Amino acid sequence: ITSATKKFLRIKRCLRKIYLTLYKKIIFYYKYEINLYKKTLPNYPSKQKIYFANNSINTNKINNYKKDYKVQNREIDLLSIGRITNKFNLSLLISALEISNHKSSLKIIIIGSEHDQTYFIKTNYCIHKIKLIKSTWDENIISYYANKSKIFLYPGDIGLSIVHAMAYGLPILIH
């Protein structure tokens, strides 16, 4: 590392410390990050309220479920995980399927429905099957589908489910 790089890193650390002391409230993603923050600024302002979102995924747990990715052994074409709300944008997925010129039927699983259902989307070339699975946080159920899927698809605003898919080693397709 050059002396200019070292100087830049010192300035960057200093600016980060100043930046982090300007706020009355700070929300970190993990509790671990709060500890790092406190180590970085041992005399952090006592008036600051520090929170963590606790909305994360234990990828170590997923590693116990994850199977090697071999596309030829996977029977589900597309997997998506997320509560089916307006943010999920299911209509975009359906519209894309309706206008696609994909010549063979796609098998699509979406985990995040209020109850299990199956839909069929007819195009000029084939009929695609969309199976909706009731929302779950059970990693046994999620891994069952993730380990059988070729691609992870998310038609809406990106969320935590992308990290989930990455932990399973799935290629990701977003809008």
Coordinates of all heavy atoms in Angstrom, one line a residue, residues 35-67:
N35 N -21.7 -3.5 17.6 CA -20.5 -3.7 18.3 C -19.3 -3.1 17.6 O -18.4 -2.6 18.2 CB -20.3 -5.2 18.6 CG -21.3 -5.7 19.5 OD1 -21.9 -5.0 20.4 ND2 -21.7 -7.0 19.4
L36 N -19.3 -3.3 16.3 CA -18.2 -2.7 15.5 C -18.2 -1.2 15.6 O -17.2 -0.5 15.7 CB -18.3 -3.1 14.0 CG -17.9 -4.5 13.6 CD1 -18.1 -4.7 12.1 CD2 -16.4 -4.8 13.9
Y37 N -19.4 -0.6 15.5 CA -19.5 0.8 15.6 C -19.0 1.3 17.0 O -18.2 2.3 17.0 CB -21.0 1.2 15.5 CG -21.3 2.6 15.8 CD1 -21.0 3.7 15.0 CD2 -22.0 2.9 17.0 CE1 -21.3 5.0 15.3 CE2 -22.4 4.2 17.3 CZ -22.0 5.3 16.4 OH -22.3 6.6 16.7
K38 N -19.3 0.6 18.0 CA -18.9 1.0 19.4 C -17.4 0.9 19.5 O -16.7 1.6 20.2 CB -19.6 0.2 20.4 CG -21.1 0.6 20.6 CD -21.8 -0.2 21.6 CE -23.2 0.2 21.8 NZ -23.9 -0.6 22.8
K39 N -16.8 -0.1 18.8 CA -15.3 -0.3 18.8 C -14.7 0.9 18.0 O -13.6 1.3 18.4 CB -14.9 -1.6 18.2 CG -15.1 -2.8 19.2 CD -14.7 -4.1 18.5 CE -15.1 -5.3 19.4 NZ -14.8 -6.5 18.7
T40 N -15.3 1.2 16.9 CA -14.7 2.3 16.1 C -14.8 3.7 16.9 O -13.9 4.5 16.8 CB -15.5 2.4 14.8 OG1 -15.5 1.2 14.1 CG2 -14.9 3.5 13.9
L41 N -15.9 3.9 17.6 CA -16.1 5.1 18.3 C -16.4 4.7 19.8 O -17.5 4.7 20.3 CB -17.4 5.8 17.8 CG -17.2 6.4 16.4 CD1 -18.6 6.8 15.9 CD2 -16.3 7.5 16.3
P42 N -15.3 4.4 20.5 CA -15.5 4.0 21.9 C -16.2 5.0 22.8 O -16.9 4.7 23.7 CB -14.1 3.7 22.4 CG -13.2 4.2 21.4 CD -13.9 4.4 20.2
N43 N -16.1 6.3 22.4 CA -16.7 7.4 23.2 C -17.9 7.9 22.4 O -18.1 9.1 22.3 CB -15.7 8.5 23.5 CG -14.6 8.0 24.3 OD1 -14.8 7.2 25.2 ND2 -13.4 8.4 23.9
Y44 N -18.7 7.0 21.8 CA -19.8 7.5 21.0 C -20.8 8.3 21.8 O -20.9 8.1 23.0 CB -20.5 6.3 20.3 CG -21.3 5.4 21.2 CD1 -22.6 5.5 21.4 CD2 -20.6 4.4 21.9 CE1 -23.4 4.7 22.2 CE2 -21.3 3.5 22.8 CZ -22.7 3.7 22.9 OH -23.4 2.9 23.8
P45 N -21.5 9.2 21.2 CA -22.4 10.1 22.0 C -23.4 9.3 22.7 O -24.1 8.5 22.1 CB -23.0 11.0 20.9 CG -22.0 10.9 19.8 CD -21.4 9.6 19.8
S46 N -23.5 9.5 24.0 CA -24.5 8.7 24.8 C -25.9 9.0 24.5 O -26.8 8.3 24.8 CB -24.2 9.0 26.3 OG -24.3 10.3 26.6
K47 N -26.2 10.2 23.8 CA -27.6 10.5 23.5 C -28.1 9.8 22.3 O -29.3 9.8 22.0 CB -27.7 12.0 23.3 CG -27.5 12.8 24.5 CD -27.6 14.3 24.3 CE -27.4 15.1 25.6 NZ -27.5 16.5 25.4
Q48 N -27.2 9.1 21.5 CA -27.6 8.4 20.3 C -28.4 7.2 20.7 O -28.0 6.5 21.6 CB -26.4 8.0 19.5 CG -25.9 9.0 18.6 CD -24.8 8.5 17.7 OE1 -24.0 7.7 18.1 NE2 -24.7 9.0 16.5
K49 N -29.4 6.9 20.0 CA -30.2 5.7 20.1 C -29.7 4.8 19.0 O -29.7 5.2 17.8 CB -31.7 5.9 19.9 CG -32.3 6.9 20.9 CD -32.4 6.3 22.2 CE -33.2 7.3 23.1 NZ -33.4 6.8 24.4
I50 N -29.3 3.6 19.3 CA -28.7 2.7 18.4 C -29.6 1.4 18.3 O -29.9 0.8 19.4 CB -27.3 2.3 18.7 CG1 -26.4 3.5 18.8 CG2 -26.7 1.3 17.7 CD1 -25.0 3.2 19.3
Y51 N -30.0 1.1 17.1 CA -30.9 -0.1 16.9 C -30.3 -1.0 15.8 O -29.5 -0.6 15.1 CB -32.3 0.4 16.4 CG -32.9 1.4 17.3 CD1 -32.8 2.8 17.1 CD2 -33.7 1.0 18.4 CE1 -33.4 3.8 17.9 CE2 -34.3 2.0 19.2 CZ -34.1 3.3 19.0 OH -34.7 4.3 19.8
F52 N -30.9 -2.2 15.8 CA -30.5 -3.0 14.7 C -31.8 -3.6 14.1 O -32.8 -3.8 14.9 CB -29.5 -4.1 15.0 CG -30.0 -5.2 16.0 CD1 -30.4 -6.4 15.6 CD2 -29.9 -4.9 17.4 CE1 -30.9 -7.3 16.5 CE2 -30.4 -5.8 18.3 CZ -30.8 -7.1 17.8
A53 N -31.9 -3.9 12.8 CA -33.1 -4.3 12.2 C -33.5 -5.8 12.5 O -34.6 -6.1 12.5 CB -33.0 -4.1 10.7
N54 N -32.5 -6.6 12.7 CA -32.7 -8.0 13.0 C -33.5 -8.7 11.9 O -34.3 -9.5 12.1 CB -33.3 -8.2 14.3 CG -33.1 -9.6 14.8 OD1 -32.2 -10.3 14.4 ND2 -34.0 -10.1 15.7
N55 N -33.3 -8.2 10.7 CA -34.0 -8.8 9.5 C -33.0 -9.3 8.6 O -32.6 -8.7 7.6 CB -34.8 -7.7 8.8 CG -35.7 -8.3 7.7 OD1 -35.9 -9.5 7.6 ND2 -36.1 -7.4 6.8
S56 N -32.5 -10.5 9.0 CA -31.3 -11.0 8.2 C -31.5 -12.5 8.0 O -32.5 -13.1 8.5 CB -30.0 -10.7 8.9 OG -30.1 -11.3 10.2
I57 N -30.6 -13.1 7.4 CA -30.6 -14.5 7.1 C -29.4 -15.2 7.6 O -28.3 -14.7 7.4 CB -30.7 -14.8 5.6 CG1 -32.0 -14.2 5.0 CG2 -30.5 -16.2 5.2 CD1 -32.2 -14.3 3.5
N58 N -29.6 -16.3 8.3 CA -28.4 -17.0 8.8 C -27.9 -17.9 7.7 O -28.4 -19.0 7.5 CB -28.9 -17.8 10.0 CG -27.7 -18.6 10.7 OD1 -26.6 -18.7 10.1 ND2 -27.9 -19.1 11.9
T59 N -26.9 -17.4 7.0 CA -26.4 -18.2 5.8 C -25.7 -19.4 6.3 O -25.5 -20.4 5.5 CB -25.5 -17.3 4.9 OG1 -24.4 -16.8 5.7 CG2 -26.3 -16.2 4.3
N60 N -25.2 -19.5 7.5 CA -24.5 -20.7 8.0 C -25.6 -21.8 8.1 O -25.2 -23.0 7.8 CB -23.9 -20.5 9.4 CG -22.8 -19.5 9.4 OD1 -22.0 -19.5 8.4 ND2 -22.6 -18.7 10.4
K61 N -26.8 -21.5 8.5 CA -27.8 -22.5 8.6 C -28.2 -23.0 7.1 O -28.3 -24.2 6.9 CB -29.1 -21.9 9.2 CG -30.2 -22.9 9.4 CD -31.4 -22.2 10.1 CE -32.6 -23.2 10.2 NZ -33.7 -22.5 10.9
I62 N -28.2 -22.1 6.2 CA -28.5 -22.4 4.8 C -27.4 -23.4 4.3 O -27.7 -24.3 3.5 CB -28.7 -21.2 3.9 CG1 -29.9 -20.5 4.3 CG2 -28.7 -21.5 2.4 CD1 -30.1 -19.1 3.7
N63 N -26.2 -23.2 4.6 CA -25.1 -24.0 4.2 C -25.3 -25.5 4.5 O -24.9 -26.4 3.8 CB -23.7 -23.6 4.7 CG -23.3 -22.3 4.0 OD1 -23.6 -22.0 2.9 ND2 -22.4 -21.5 4.7
N64 N -26.1 -25.7 5.6 CA -26.4 -27.1 6.0 C -27.4 -27.7 5.1 O -27.5 -29.0 5.0 CB -26.9 -27.2 7.4 CG -25.9 -26.7 8.4 OD1 -24.7 -26.9 8.2 ND2 -26.3 -26.1 9.5
Y65 N -28.2 -26.9 4.4 CA -29.3 -27.4 3.5 C -28.8 -27.4 2.0 O -29.4 -28.1 1.2 CB -30.5 -26.5 3.6 CG -31.2 -26.6 4.9 CD1 -31.0 -25.8 6.0 CD2 -32.2 -27.7 5.1 CE1 -31.7 -25.9 7.2 CE2 -32.9 -27.8 6.3 CZ -32.6 -26.9 7.4 OH -33.3 -27.0 8.5
K66 N -28.0 -26.5 1.7 CA -27.6 -26.2 0.3 C -26.9 -27.4 -0.4 O -26.1 -28.1 0.2 CB -26.6 -25.0 0.3 CG -26.1 -24.7 -1.1 CD -25.1 -23.5 -0.9 CE -24.4 -23.3 -2.2 NZ -23.4 -22.2 -2.1
K67 N -27.4 -27.7 -1.6 CA -26.8 -28.8 -2.4 C -26.0 -28.2 -3.6 O -26.2 -27.0 -3.9 CB -27.9 -29.7 -3.0 CG -28.6 -30.4 -1.8 CD -29.7 -31.4 -2.4 CE -30.3 -32.1 -1.3 NZ -31.5 -32.9 -1.7

